[in-house]
Amino acid sequence: MASDSQVKIQASQGNLKYVSLVTLTVQNAALILWMRYVRTRDVDEMFISATAVMLAELSKCVIALLIILYQERSVSKWLDHLYQNLILNPMDNVKVSVPAFVYVMQNNLQFLAVSNLDAATYQVSYQLKILTTALFSVGMLNRRLGALQWIALVILMCGVALVQLQSSTSKGSDGKESKHQNALVGMIAVITSCLMSGFAGVYFEKILKGSPQSVWLRNVQLGFLGTIMGLITLFVKDGKEVSESGFFKGYDWAVWLAIMLSSAGGLLVAVVVKYADNILKGFATSAAIILSCIISIYFFNFQLSIQFVGGATLVMISVYMYGRFPYVAPAVTEASSNA
């Protein structure tokens, strides 16, 4: 009976692994495509992107709170859990405030990037976060990379460079050069966002591994602190426009959907980290790139070129290589151990 139950548990975890990966693939592609759509569509009033970033952080916090409530099975236990881990541990909140601030800045840059780059180009270029994450992991976590992983990072840079070569010479998504679109601004936003993503991800991993708090509790902290910092950023950057036009200027169902997709992304990553390995995450990334390209062709008049196909292929190969060939420490021989 015990073996049967173990088999069922393993089968259930296997199903969760693939379901979470498929969901993450769809979410990754849908988020970028939808962000591109809501930032480039023809509307009377365009929403203020900083308000969407703040609301996405708030949504992430609320969802994580509900998940913890479900786990605790009691409102009193839930409140006590939050009190013990958040109120009585203020210095821990200070540590989490660092990645929370960086994530808010990164999310604001994502809106800037998709406003200036087509969805497919952004999806491929954003894989530079693998490079920045690897470099920060080596520097902050003393992690070792295998020779093939370093080669994969070089291939990744070559692939993104090819894609950007097309982006710098191509027209807007409607076949004409858009006066509101600047590929250089978009690429600078992507690179800066990747740097922030790499730093925040590694810093957050370091916090997770050095404390007993759950991923969901960390998401409550990130969401709550991100909401506060997002509000501060909003009024520093767009305070005048908010006071004149209102917080919800330009909002409709499409903007709310973009916010929900954004907040769901951070929570999905937590599930994937728990149930999937790097190889499967690499496949999910490649699938999201392909899906974004296909949808961009049909709905955004995106035109494939030899440079883009070659660059995207190199990026997908590098993503697979980086996850498939991790660093393996050399085995300690008996002679060396006795020396």
Side-chain angles (χ1 to χ4, degrees):
M1 293 296 292
S3 60
D4 290 342
S5 62
Q6 288 177 350
V7 169
K8 289 181 180 179
I9 291 173
Q10 290 176 352
S12 176
Q13 290 180 341
N15 291 333
L16 277 173
K17 175 171 64 176
Y18 291 108
V19 168
S20 62
L21 281 170
V22 170
T23 306
L24 183 63
T25 299
V26 174
Q27 186 272 339
N28 278 343
L31 173 62
I32 302 307
L33 290 163
W34 202 254
M35 285 174 66
R36 172 69 178 173
Y37 167 71
V38 297
R39 293 301 292 176
T40 58
R41 60 185 176 150
D42 186 16
V43 292
D44 294 332
E45 284 188 326
M46 179 59 65
F47 71 98
I48 303 170
S49 60
T51 63
V53 171
M54 195 211 80
L55 289 174
E57 293 296 322
L58 179 61
S59 300
K60 182 170 67 177
C61 177
V62 172
I63 294 171
L65 281 170
L66 292 175
I67 291 173
I68 295 175
L69 175 60
Y70 174 78
Q71 291 175 336
E72 293 295 326
R73 306 282 184 174
S74 165
V75 174
S76 60
K77 289 182 180 179
W78 176 66
L79 291 173
D80 182 65
H81 180 76
L82 296 177
Y83 179 75
Q84 294 293 332
N85 287 279
L86 301 180
I87 306 301
L88 297 183
N89 201 359
M91 290 309 299
D92 190 60
N93 294 321
V94 173
K95 288 193 297 183
V96 178
S97 66
V98 176
F101 173 74
V102 175
Y103 279 135
V104 168
M105 295 297 101
Q106 176 200 338
N107 292 335
N108 276 287
L109 284 171
Q110 281 186 320
F111 273 106
L112 178 62
V114 296
S115 299
N116 289 280
L117 295 173
D118 56 76
T121 301
Y122 175 84
Q123 188 75 268
V124 175
S125 302
Y126 192 57
Q127 301 316 309
L128 277 175
K129 66 184 179 181
I130 297 173
L131 170 64
T132 59
T133 302
L135 296 177
F136 279 115
S137 295
V138 171
M140 296 172 62
L141 300 178
N142 296 318
R143 186 167 291 160
R144 301 284 297 273
L145 299 182
L148 287 175
Q149 287 184 306
W150 285 113
I151 293 173
L153 294 176
V154 174
I155 294 173
L156 174 68
M157 289 188 291
C158 293
V160 172
L162 271 177
V163 168
Q164 287 305 312
L165 180 63
Q166 177 205 258
S167 177
S168 63
T169 58
S170 64
K171 303 292 183 181
S173 60
D174 58 354
K176 300 177 181 179
E177 191 70 36
S178 172
K179 64 180 180 180
H180 300 297
Q181 184 169 311
N182 188 318
L184 179 60
V185 171
M187 190 55 193
I188 292 173
V190 168
I191 293 174
T192 308
S193 180
C194 288
L195 285 168
M196 289 183 169
S197 175
F199 170 75
V202 173
Y203 188 97
F204 189 52
E205 180 182 348
K206 193 171 184 179
I207 292 176
L208 280 176
K209 290 184 175 180
S211 65
Q213 280 81 3
S214 69
V215 172
W216 303 119
L217 185 68
R218 291 305 188 190
N219 272 284
V220 170
Q221 292 174 298
L222 284 175
F224 177 74
L225 294 169
T227 301
I228 295 174
M229 293 175 183
L231 191 61
I232 295 172
T233 303
L234 169 65
F235 282 101
V236 169
K237 177 174 171 284
D238 300 298
K240 183 178 180 180
E241 187 175 2
V242 170
S243 62
E244 292 176 353
S245 305
F247 186 92
F248 294 104
K249 168 197 171 184
Y251 268 64
D252 59 7
W253 66 272
V255 178
W256 284 109
L257 180 57
I259 292 171
M260 290 299 103
L261 285 170
S262 178
S263 60
L267 299 172
L268 277 172
V269 168
V271 176
V272 171
V273 165
K274 183 175 181 179
Y275 291 108
D277 56 30
N278 284 327
I279 300 173
L280 290 174
K281 282 188 285 184
F283 278 118
T285 299
S286 299
I289 291 173
I290 294 171
L291 187 60
S292 295
C293 290
I294 293 172
I295 295 176
S296 292
I297 291 170
Y298 284 99
F299 291 96
F300 295 101
N301 297 321
F302 178 69
Q303 297 178 355
L304 287 176
S305 68
I306 295 176
Q307 295 102 313
F308 184 90
V309 173
T313 301
L314 287 177
V315 168
M316 288 186 283
I317 290 172
S318 70
V319 169
Y320 172 76
M321 283 180 61
Y322 188 83
R324 177 66 179 82
F325 303 105
Y327 172 77
V328 179
V332 180
T333 63
E334 186 177 346
S336 61
S337 62
N338 292 333

